[in-house]
Coordinates of all heavy atoms in Angstrom, one line a residue:
M1 N -0.6 8.1 11.2 CA 0.7 7.8 10.8 C 0.7 6.6 9.9 O 0.1 5.6 10.2 CB 1.6 7.6 12.0 CG 3.0 7.2 11.5 SD 4.2 6.7 12.8 CE 3.4 5.3 13.6
I2 N 1.5 6.7 8.8 CA 1.6 5.5 7.9 C 3.1 5.2 8.0 O 4.0 6.0 7.8 CB 1.3 5.9 6.5 CG1 -0.2 6.3 6.4 CG2 1.6 4.7 5.5 CD1 -0.6 6.8 5.0
L3 N 3.4 3.9 8.2 CA 4.8 3.4 8.3 C 4.9 2.2 7.5 O 4.2 1.2 7.6 CB 5.1 3.1 9.8 CG 6.4 2.5 10.1 CD1 7.6 3.5 9.7 CD2 6.5 2.0 11.5
A4 N 5.9 2.3 6.5 CA 6.3 1.1 5.7 C 7.7 0.8 6.0 O 8.6 1.7 5.9 CB 6.1 1.5 4.2
E5 N 7.9 -0.4 6.4 CA 9.2 -0.9 6.8 C 9.7 -2.0 5.9 O 9.2 -3.1 6.0 CB 9.3 -1.3 8.2 CG 8.9 -0.2 9.2 CD 9.0 -0.7 10.7 OE1 8.2 -1.6 11.0 OE2 9.8 -0.2 11.4
N6 N 10.7 -1.6 5.1 CA 11.4 -2.6 4.2 C 10.4 -3.5 3.4 O 10.6 -4.7 3.4 CB 12.3 -3.4 5.1 CG 13.5 -4.0 4.3 OD1 13.9 -3.4 3.3 ND2 14.0 -5.1 4.7
I7 N 9.4 -2.9 2.8 CA 8.4 -3.7 2.1 C 8.8 -4.1 0.7 O 9.4 -3.4 0.0 CB 7.0 -3.0 2.1 CG1 7.1 -1.7 1.4 CG2 6.4 -2.9 3.5 CD1 5.7 -1.0 1.2
S8 N 8.5 -5.4 0.4 CA 8.8 -5.9 -0.9 C 7.5 -6.7 -1.3 O 6.8 -7.2 -0.4 CB 10.0 -6.9 -0.9 OG 11.2 -6.2 -0.6
F9 N 7.3 -6.8 -2.6 CA 6.2 -7.6 -3.1 C 6.6 -8.3 -4.4 O 7.2 -7.7 -5.3 CB 5.0 -6.7 -3.3 CG 3.7 -7.5 -3.7 CD1 3.0 -8.2 -2.8 CD2 3.4 -7.5 -5.1 CE1 1.9 -8.9 -3.2 CE2 2.2 -8.2 -5.5 CZ 1.5 -8.9 -4.5
A10 N 6.3 -9.6 -4.4 CA 6.6 -10.4 -5.6 C 5.4 -11.3 -6.0 O 4.6 -11.7 -5.1 CB 7.8 -11.3 -5.3
L11 N 5.2 -11.5 -7.3 CA 4.3 -12.4 -7.8 C 5.1 -13.5 -8.5 O 5.7 -13.2 -9.5 CB 3.3 -11.7 -8.8 CG 2.2 -10.8 -8.3 CD1 1.5 -10.1 -9.4 CD2 1.3 -11.6 -7.4
G12 N 5.0 -14.7 -8.0 CA 5.9 -15.7 -8.5 C 7.3 -15.4 -8.4 O 7.8 -15.0 -7.3
K13 N 8.1 -15.4 -9.5 CA 9.5 -15.1 -9.5 C 9.7 -13.6 -9.8 O 10.9 -13.2 -9.9 CB 10.2 -16.0 -10.5 CG 10.2 -17.4 -10.1 CD 11.0 -18.3 -11.1 CE 11.0 -19.7 -10.7 NZ 11.8 -20.6 -11.6
T14 N 8.7 -12.9 -10.1 CA 8.8 -11.5 -10.5 C 8.6 -10.5 -9.3 O 7.6 -10.5 -8.7 CB 7.8 -11.1 -11.6 OG1 7.9 -12.0 -12.7 CG2 8.0 -9.7 -12.1
T15 N 9.7 -9.8 -9.0 CA 9.6 -8.8 -7.9 C 9.1 -7.5 -8.4 O 9.6 -6.9 -9.4 CB 11.0 -8.6 -7.3 OG1 11.5 -9.8 -6.8 CG2 10.9 -7.6 -6.1
L16 N 7.9 -7.0 -7.9 CA 7.3 -5.8 -8.3 C 7.7 -4.6 -7.5 O 7.6 -3.5 -8.0 CB 5.8 -6.0 -8.3 CG 5.2 -7.1 -9.1 CD1 3.7 -7.2 -9.0 CD2 5.6 -6.9 -10.6
L17 N 8.1 -4.8 -6.3 CA 8.5 -3.7 -5.4 C 9.6 -4.3 -4.4 O 9.4 -5.4 -3.9 CB 7.4 -3.2 -4.6 CG 7.7 -1.9 -3.7 CD1 7.9 -0.7 -4.6 CD2 6.5 -1.7 -2.8
Q18 N 10.7 -3.6 -4.2 CA 11.8 -4.1 -3.4 C 12.2 -3.2 -2.4 O 12.7 -2.0 -2.7 CB 12.9 -4.5 -4.3 CG 14.0 -5.3 -3.7 CD 15.0 -5.9 -4.7 OE1 14.9 -5.6 -5.9 NE2 16.0 -6.6 -4.2
R19 N 12.2 -3.5 -1.1 CA 12.7 -2.9 0.1 C 12.4 -1.4 0.1 O 13.3 -0.5 0.2 CB 14.2 -3.1 0.1 CG 14.6 -4.6 0.3 CD 16.1 -4.8 0.5 NE 16.9 -4.2 -0.4 CZ 17.4 -4.8 -1.5 NH1 17.1 -6.0 -1.7 NH2 18.2 -4.1 -2.4
A20 N 11.1 -1.0 0.1 CA 10.7 0.4 0.3 C 10.4 0.7 1.7 O 9.8 -0.1 2.4 CB 9.5 0.7 -0.6
S21 N 10.9 1.8 2.2 CA 10.7 2.2 3.6 C 10.4 3.7 3.6 O 11.0 4.5 2.9 CB 11.9 1.9 4.5 OG 12.1 0.6 4.6
F22 N 9.4 4.1 4.4 CA 9.1 5.5 4.6 C 8.1 5.7 5.8 O 7.6 4.7 6.3 CB 8.5 6.2 3.4 CG 7.3 5.5 2.8 CD1 6.1 5.7 3.3 CD2 7.5 4.5 1.8 CE1 5.0 5.0 2.8 CE2 6.4 3.8 1.3 CZ 5.2 4.1 1.8
R23 N 8.0 6.9 6.2 CA 7.1 7.2 7.3 C 6.4 8.6 7.1 O 7.1 9.5 6.8 CB 7.9 7.2 8.6 CG 7.1 7.5 9.9 CD 8.0 7.6 11.1 NE 7.3 7.9 12.2 CZ 7.4 7.3 13.4 NH1 8.3 6.4 13.6 NH2 6.7 7.7 14.4
F24 N 5.1 8.6 7.3 CA 4.4 9.9 7.2 C 3.7 10.1 8.6 O 2.9 9.3 9.0 CB 3.3 9.9 6.1 CG 3.9 9.6 4.8 CD1 3.6 8.5 4.1 CD2 4.6 10.6 4.2 CE1 4.1 8.2 2.8 CE2 5.1 10.4 2.9 CZ 4.9 9.2 2.2
D25 N 4.1 11.1 9.3 CA 3.6 11.3 10.7 C 2.4 12.2 10.7 O 1.6 12.2 11.7 CB 4.7 12.0 11.5 CG 5.8 11.0 11.9 OD1 5.5 9.8 12.2 OD2 7.0 11.4 11.8
K26 N 2.1 13.0 9.7 CA 1.0 13.9 9.7 C 0.3 13.9 8.3 O 1.0 13.5 7.3 CB 1.4 15.3 10.0 CG 2.5 15.9 9.1 CD 3.0 17.2 9.5 CE 4.1 17.6 8.5 NZ 4.7 18.9 8.8
P27 N -0.9 14.3 8.2 CA -1.6 14.4 6.9 C -0.8 15.3 5.9 O -0.4 16.4 6.3 CB -2.9 15.0 7.2 CG -3.2 14.7 8.6 CD -1.8 14.7 9.3
E28 N -0.6 14.9 4.8 CA 0.1 15.7 3.8 C -0.1 15.1 2.4 O -0.5 14.0 2.3 CB 1.6 15.8 4.0 CG 2.4 14.5 4.1 CD 3.8 14.6 4.5 OE1 4.5 15.4 3.9 OE2 4.2 14.0 5.5
F29 N 0.1 15.9 1.3 CA 0.0 15.4 0.0 C 1.3 14.9 -0.4 O 2.3 15.5 -0.2 CB -0.4 16.5 -1.0 CG -1.9 16.9 -0.8 CD1 -2.2 18.0 -0.1 CD2 -2.9 16.1 -1.4 CE1 -3.6 18.4 0.1 CE2 -4.2 16.5 -1.2 CZ -4.6 17.6 -0.5
V30 N 1.3 13.7 -1.0 CA 2.5 13.0 -1.5 C 2.3 12.6 -2.9 O 1.2 12.0 -3.3 CB 2.8 11.8 -0.6 CG1 4.1 11.1 -1.1 CG2 3.1 12.3 0.8
A31 N 3.3 12.8 -3.8 CA 3.2 12.3 -5.1 C 4.1 11.1 -5.3 O 5.2 11.1 -4.8 CB 3.6 13.4 -6.1
V32 N 3.7 10.0 -6.0 CA 4.5 8.9 -6.3 C 4.7 8.9 -7.8 O 3.8 8.8 -8.6 CB 3.7 7.6 -5.8 CG1 4.6 6.4 -6.2 CG2 3.4 7.6 -4.3
I33 N 5.9 9.1 -8.2 CA 6.3 9.3 -9.6 C 7.3 8.3 -10.0 O 8.1 7.8 -9.1 CB 6.7 10.7 -10.0 CG1 7.9 11.1 -9.1 CG2 5.6 11.7 -9.7 CD1 8.5 12.4 -9.6
G34 N 7.3 7.9 -11.2 CA 8.3 7.0 -11.7 C 7.9 6.4 -13.1 O 6.8 6.6 -13.5
P35 N 8.8 5.8 -13.8 CA 8.5 5.2 -15.1 C 7.5 4.0 -15.0 O 7.3 3.5 -13.9 CB 9.8 4.7 -15.6 CG 10.6 4.5 -14.4 CD 10.2 5.5 -13.4
N36 N 6.9 3.7 -16.1 CA 6.0 2.5 -16.1 C 6.8 1.3 -15.6 O 8.0 1.1 -15.9 CB 5.6 2.2 -17.6 CG 4.6 3.3 -18.1 OD1 4.1 4.1 -17.3 ND2 4.4 3.3 -19.4
G37 N 6.1 0.5 -14.8 CA 6.7 -0.7 -14.3 C 7.6 -0.5 -13.0 O 8.2 -1.5 -12.6
A38 N 7.6 0.7 -12.5 CA 8.5 1.0 -11.4 C 7.9 0.5 -10.0 O 8.6 0.4 -9.0 CB 8.8 2.5 -11.3
G39 N 6.6 0.2 -10.0 CA 6.0 -0.3 -8.8 C 5.1 0.7 -8.1 O 4.7 0.5 -6.9
K40 N 4.7 1.7 -8.7 CA 3.8 2.8 -8.1 C 2.5 2.2 -7.7 O 2.0 2.4 -6.6 CB 3.6 4.0 -9.1 CG 4.9 4.6 -9.5 CD 4.7 5.7 -10.5 CE 4.1 5.3 -11.8 NZ 4.9 4.4 -12.7
S41 N 1.8 1.5 -8.6 CA 0.5 1.0 -8.3 C 0.6 -0.1 -7.3 O -0.3 -0.2 -6.4 CB -0.2 0.4 -9.6 OG -0.4 1.5 -10.5
T42 N 1.6 -0.9 -7.4 CA 1.8 -2.0 -6.4 C 2.0 -1.4 -5.0 O 1.4 -1.8 -4.0 CB 3.0 -2.8 -6.7 OG1 2.8 -3.4 -8.0 CG2 3.3 -3.9 -5.7
L43 N 2.7 -0.3 -4.9 CA 2.9 0.4 -3.6 C 1.6 0.9 -3.0 O 1.3 0.7 -1.9 CB 3.9 1.6 -3.8 CG 4.1 2.5 -2.5 CD1 4.7 1.7 -1.4 CD2 4.9 3.7 -2.9
L44 N 0.8 1.5 -3.9 CA -0.5 2.0 -3.4 C -1.4 0.9 -3.0 O -2.2 1.0 -2.0 CB -1.2 2.9 -4.5 CG -0.5 4.2 -4.8 CD1 -1.1 4.9 -6.0 CD2 -0.4 5.1 -3.6
Q45 N -1.4 -0.2 -3.7 CA -2.2 -1.4 -3.3 C -1.7 -2.0 -2.0 O -2.5 -2.5 -1.2 CB -2.3 -2.4 -4.4 CG -3.1 -1.8 -5.6 CD -3.1 -2.7 -6.8 OE1 -2.2 -3.5 -7.0 NE2 -4.1 -2.6 -7.6
L46 N -0.4 -1.9 -1.7 CA 0.1 -2.4 -0.5 C -0.3 -1.5 0.7 O -0.7 -2.0 1.8 CB 1.6 -2.5 -0.5 CG 2.2 -3.6 -1.3 CD1 3.7 -3.4 -1.6 CD2 2.1 -4.9 -0.6
L47 N -0.3 -0.2 0.4 CA -0.7 0.8 1.5 C -2.2 0.7 1.8 O -2.6 1.0 2.9 CB -0.3 2.2 1.1 CG 1.2 2.5 0.9 CD1 1.4 3.9 0.4 CD2 1.9 2.3 2.3
S48 N -2.9 0.4 0.7 CA -4.4 0.3 0.9 C -4.9 -1.0 1.4 O -6.1 -1.2 1.7 CB -5.0 0.5 -0.5 OG -4.8 1.8 -1.0
G49 N -4.0 -2.0 1.6 CA -4.3 -3.2 2.2 C -4.9 -4.2 1.2 O -5.3 -5.3 1.6
F50 N -4.8 -3.9 -0.1 CA -5.3 -4.9 -1.1 C -4.3 -6.0 -1.3 O -4.7 -7.1 -1.6 CB -5.5 -4.2 -2.4 CG -6.7 -3.3 -2.4 CD1 -6.6 -1.9 -2.6 CD2 -8.0 -3.8 -2.3 CE1 -7.6 -1.1 -2.6 CE2 -9.1 -2.9 -2.3 CZ -8.9 -1.6 -2.4
Y51 N -3.0 -5.7 -1.1 CA -2.0 -6.7 -1.2 C -1.3 -6.8 0.2 O -1.2 -5.8 0.9 CB -0.9 -6.4 -2.2 CG -1.3 -6.4 -3.6 CD1 -0.5 -5.8 -4.6 CD2 -2.4 -7.1 -4.1 CE1 -0.8 -5.8 -5.9 CE2 -2.7 -7.1 -5.4 CZ -1.9 -6.5 -6.3 OH -2.3 -6.5 -7.7
K52 N -0.8 -7.9 0.5 CA 0.1 -8.1 1.8 C 1.5 -8.2 1.3 O 1.8 -8.9 0.3 CB -0.3 -9.3 2.5 CG 0.4 -9.5 3.8 CD 0.0 -10.7 4.5 CE 0.8 -10.9 5.8 NZ 0.5 -12.1 6.5
P53 N 2.4 -7.4 1.9 CA 3.8 -7.5 1.5 C 4.4 -8.9 1.5 O 4.1 -9.6 2.5 CB 4.5 -6.5 2.5 CG 3.5 -5.7 3.1 CD 2.2 -6.5 3.0
T54 N 5.2 -9.2 0.6 CA 5.9 -10.5 0.6 C 6.9 -10.5 1.8 O 7.1 -11.5 2.4 CB 6.7 -10.7 -0.7 OG1 5.8 -10.6 -1.8 CG2 7.4 -12.1 -0.8
S55 N 7.5 -9.3 2.0 CA 8.3 -9.2 3.2 C 8.2 -7.7 3.7 O 7.8 -6.9 2.9 CB 9.8 -9.5 2.9 OG 10.3 -8.6 2.0
G56 N 8.5 -7.5 4.9 CA 8.4 -6.2 5.5 C 7.0 -6.0 6.1 O 6.2 -6.9 6.1
S57 N 6.6 -4.7 6.5 CA 5.3 -4.5 7.0 C 4.8 -3.1 6.7 O 5.6 -2.2 6.5 CB 5.3 -4.7 8.5 OG 6.2 -3.8 9.2
V58 N 3.5 -3.0 6.7 CA 2.9 -1.7 6.5 C 1.9 -1.5 7.7 O 1.1 -2.4 8.0 CB 2.1 -1.6 5.2 CG1 1.4 -0.2 5.1 CG2 3.0 -1.8 4.0
S59 N 1.9 -0.4 8.4 CA 1.0 -0.1 9.5 C 0.5 1.3 9.4 O 1.1 2.2 8.9 CB 1.7 -0.3 10.8 OG 2.7 0.6 11.0
I60 N -0.8 1.4 9.8 CA -1.4 2.7 9.8 C -1.9 3.0 11.2 O -2.6 2.1 11.8 CB -2.6 2.8 8.8 CG1 -2.1 2.6 7.4 CG2 -3.4 4.1 9.0 CD1 -3.2 2.5 6.4
N61 N -1.5 4.1 11.8 CA -1.8 4.4 13.2 C -1.4 3.2 14.2 O -2.1 2.9 15.1 CB -3.2 4.7 13.4 CG -3.6 6.0 12.7 OD1 -2.8 6.9 12.5 ND2 -4.8 6.1 12.3
G62 N -0.3 2.6 13.9 CA 0.3 1.6 14.7 C -0.3 0.2 14.5 O 0.1 -0.8 15.2
K63 N -1.2 0.0 13.6 CA -1.9 -1.3 13.4 C -1.6 -1.8 11.9 O -1.8 -1.0 11.0 CB -3.4 -1.1 13.5 CG -4.2 -2.4 13.5 CD -5.6 -2.1 13.8 CE -6.5 -3.4 13.7 NZ -7.9 -3.1 14.0
G64 N -1.1 -3.0 11.8 CA -0.8 -3.6 10.5 C -2.0 -3.6 9.6 O -3.1 -3.9 10.0
T65 N -1.8 -3.2 8.3 CA -2.9 -3.1 7.4 C -3.6 -4.5 7.2 O -4.8 -4.5 6.9 CB -2.4 -2.6 6.0 OG1 -1.3 -3.5 5.5 CG2 -1.9 -1.2 6.0
H66 N -2.9 -5.6 7.4 CA -3.6 -6.9 7.3 C -4.6 -7.2 8.4 O -5.3 -8.1 8.4 CB -2.6 -8.0 7.1 CG -1.7 -8.1 8.3 ND1 -0.6 -7.3 8.6 CD2 -1.7 -9.1 9.3 CE1 -0.1 -7.7 9.7 NE2 -0.7 -8.8 10.2
L67 N -4.5 -6.4 9.5 CA -5.3 -6.5 10.7 C -6.6 -5.7 10.6 O -7.5 -5.9 11.4 CB -4.6 -6.2 12.0 CG -3.3 -7.1 12.2 CD1 -2.6 -6.5 13.4 CD2 -3.7 -8.5 12.4
W68 N -6.7 -4.8 9.7 CA -7.9 -3.9 9.6 C -9.0 -4.6 8.8 O -8.8 -5.3 7.9 CB -7.5 -2.6 8.7 CG -6.6 -1.7 9.4 CD1 -5.3 -1.7 9.4 CD2 -7.0 -0.5 10.1 NE1 -4.7 -0.7 10.1 CE2 -5.8 0.1 10.6 CE3 -8.2 0.1 10.5 CZ2 -5.7 1.2 11.3 CZ3 -8.1 1.2 11.2 CH2 -6.9 1.8 11.7
S69 N -10.2 -4.5 9.3 CA -11.4 -5.0 8.6 C -11.7 -4.0 7.5 O -11.3 -2.8 7.5 CB -12.6 -5.1 9.5 OG -13.1 -3.9 9.9
A70 N -12.4 -4.4 6.5 CA -12.8 -3.6 5.4 C -13.6 -2.4 5.8 O -13.4 -1.2 5.4 CB -13.7 -4.4 4.3
S71 N -14.5 -2.6 6.8 CA -15.3 -1.4 7.3 C -14.5 -0.4 8.1 O -14.7 0.8 8.0 CB -16.5 -1.9 8.2 OG -16.0 -2.6 9.3
E72 N -13.4 -0.9 8.8 CA -12.5 0.0 9.5 C -11.7 0.9 8.5 O -11.6 2.1 8.6 CB -11.5 -0.8 10.4 CG -12.1 -1.3 11.6 CD -11.0 -2.1 12.4 OE1 -10.4 -3.0 11.8 OE2 -10.9 -1.9 13.6
F73 N -11.2 0.2 7.5 CA -10.5 0.9 6.4 C -11.3 1.9 5.7 O -10.8 3.0 5.3 CB -9.9 -0.1 5.4 CG -8.4 -0.2 5.4 CD1 -7.9 -1.5 5.3 CD2 -7.6 0.8 5.5 CE1 -6.5 -1.7 5.3 CE2 -6.2 0.7 5.5 CZ -5.7 -0.6 5.4
A74 N -12.6 1.6 5.5 CA -13.5 2.5 4.7 C -13.7 3.9 5.4 O -14.1 4.8 4.7 CB -14.8 1.8 4.6
H75 N -13.4 4.0 6.7 CA -13.6 5.3 7.4 C -12.5 6.3 7.0 O -12.8 7.5 7.1 CB -13.6 5.0 8.9 CG -14.8 4.4 9.4 ND1 -16.0 5.1 9.6 CD2 -15.0 3.1 9.8 CE1 -16.9 4.3 10.0 NE2 -16.4 3.1 10.1
F76 N -11.4 5.9 6.5 CA -10.3 6.9 6.2 C -9.6 6.6 4.9 O -8.7 7.3 4.5 CB -9.4 7.0 7.3 CG -8.6 5.8 7.6 CD1 -7.4 5.5 7.0 CD2 -9.0 4.8 8.5 CE1 -6.6 4.4 7.2 CE2 -8.3 3.7 8.8 CZ -7.1 3.5 8.1
R77 N -10.0 5.6 4.1 CA -9.2 5.3 2.9 C -10.1 5.3 1.7 O -11.3 4.8 1.7 CB -8.7 3.8 3.0 CG -8.0 3.4 1.7 CD -7.8 1.9 1.7 NE -9.1 1.2 1.6 CZ -9.3 -0.1 1.7 NH1 -8.2 -0.9 1.8 NH2 -10.4 -0.6 1.5
A78 N -9.6 5.9 0.6 CA -10.3 5.9 -0.7 C -9.3 5.5 -1.7 O -8.1 5.9 -1.7 CB -10.9 7.3 -1.0
Y79 N -9.7 4.6 -2.6 CA -8.8 4.1 -3.6 C -9.6 3.8 -4.9 O -10.6 3.2 -4.9 CB -8.1 2.8 -3.1 CG -7.2 2.2 -4.1 CD1 -5.9 2.7 -4.3 CD2 -7.6 1.1 -4.9 CE1 -5.0 2.1 -5.2 CE2 -6.7 0.5 -5.8 CZ -5.4 1.0 -6.0 OH -4.6 0.5 -6.9
L80 N -9.1 4.4 -6.0 CA -9.7 4.1 -7.3 C -8.8 3.4 -8.2 O -7.7 3.9 -8.5 CB -10.1 5.5 -7.9 CG -10.8 5.4 -9.3 CD1 -12.1 4.7 -9.2 CD2 -11.0 6.8 -9.8
Q81 N -9.1 2.2 -8.5 CA -8.2 1.3 -9.3 C -8.1 1.8 -10.8 O -9.1 2.4 -11.3 CB -8.7 -0.1 -9.3 CG -8.5 -0.8 -8.0 CD -8.9 -2.2 -8.1 OE1 -10.1 -2.5 -8.4 NE2 -8.0 -3.1 -7.8
Q82 N -7.0 1.6 -11.4 CA -6.8 2.0 -12.8 C -7.7 1.2 -13.7 O -8.2 1.7 -14.7 CB -5.4 1.7 -13.2 CG -4.4 2.7 -12.6 CD -3.0 2.3 -13.0 OE1 -2.7 1.3 -13.6 NE2 -2.1 3.3 -12.8
K83 N -7.9 -0.1 -13.4 CA -8.7 -1.0 -14.3 C -9.9 -1.5 -13.5 O -9.7 -1.9 -12.3 CB -7.9 -2.2 -14.8 CG -6.7 -1.8 -15.6 CD -5.9 -3.0 -16.0 CE -4.7 -2.6 -16.8 NZ -3.8 -3.7 -17.1
Q84 N -11.0 -1.5 -14.1 CA -12.2 -2.1 -13.5 C -12.6 -3.4 -14.2 O -12.6 -3.4 -15.4 CB -13.4 -1.1 -13.5 CG -13.1 0.2 -12.7 CD -12.9 -0.1 -11.2 OE1 -13.6 -0.9 -10.6 NE2 -12.0 0.6 -10.6
S85 N -13.0 -4.4 -13.5 CA -13.4 -5.7 -14.1 C -14.9 -5.9 -13.9 O -15.4 -5.6 -12.8 CB -12.7 -6.9 -13.5 OG -11.3 -6.7 -13.7
V86 N -15.6 -6.3 -14.9 CA -17.0 -6.6 -14.7 C -17.1 -8.1 -14.8 O -16.7 -8.7 -15.8 CB -17.8 -5.9 -15.9 CG1 -19.3 -6.3 -15.8 CG2 -17.6 -4.4 -15.8
F87 N -17.7 -8.7 -13.8 CA -17.9 -10.1 -13.8 C -19.2 -10.6 -14.3 O -20.2 -10.0 -14.2 CB -17.7 -10.7 -12.3 CG -16.3 -10.4 -11.8 CD1 -16.1 -9.3 -11.0 CD2 -15.2 -11.2 -12.2 CE1 -14.8 -9.0 -10.6 CE2 -14.0 -10.9 -11.7 CZ -13.7 -9.8 -10.9

């Protein structure tokens, strides 16, 4: 189960996502659509645990995403970023 409760995310004074809430109880395909700058990538990064919500909470199977270790997340999460950086 994935549960997002009133999640918002801001960088500095810029709010990228504001008060999103939803719940998925079973495996299913979901499409996230919207115009450029609507917060789609930010939402996926919040659900994947890459970002921590500025407010609200995200949990997977009853456990907050910020509490999962990288190895625990790797068992059931896959994420391909739009941009890759080479250091």
Side-chain angles (χ1 to χ4, degrees):
M1 174 184 61
I2 299 174
L3 176 63
E5 295 181 295
N6 206 28
I7 57 173
S8 296
F9 184 75
L11 285 174
K13 294 182 180 182
T14 305
T15 300
L16 302 176
L17 185 71
Q18 189 170 2
R19 296 186 310 266
S21 296
F22 53 86
R23 179 182 179 137
F24 300 111
D25 288 319
K26 59 184 177 180
E28 58 187 304
F29 287 100
V30 176
V32 180
I33 58 173
N36 291 344
K40 300 176 301 290
S41 295
T42 301
L43 174 63
L44 293 176
Q45 290 175 335
L46 286 163
L47 295 177
S48 297
F50 290 113
Y51 292 162
K52 183 178 178 186
T54 305
S55 64
S57 64
V58 177
S59 62
I60 298 176
N61 296 332
K63 185 176 179 180
T65 53
H66 63 285
L67 299 174
W68 291 85
S69 69
S71 61
E72 285 177 311
F73 248 139
H75 286 284
F76 64 90
R77 175 197 69 184
Y79 178 80
L80 180 62
Q81 290 182 302
Q82 291 178 345
K83 297 178 184 177
Q84 298 296 324
S85 298
V86 177
F87 297 99

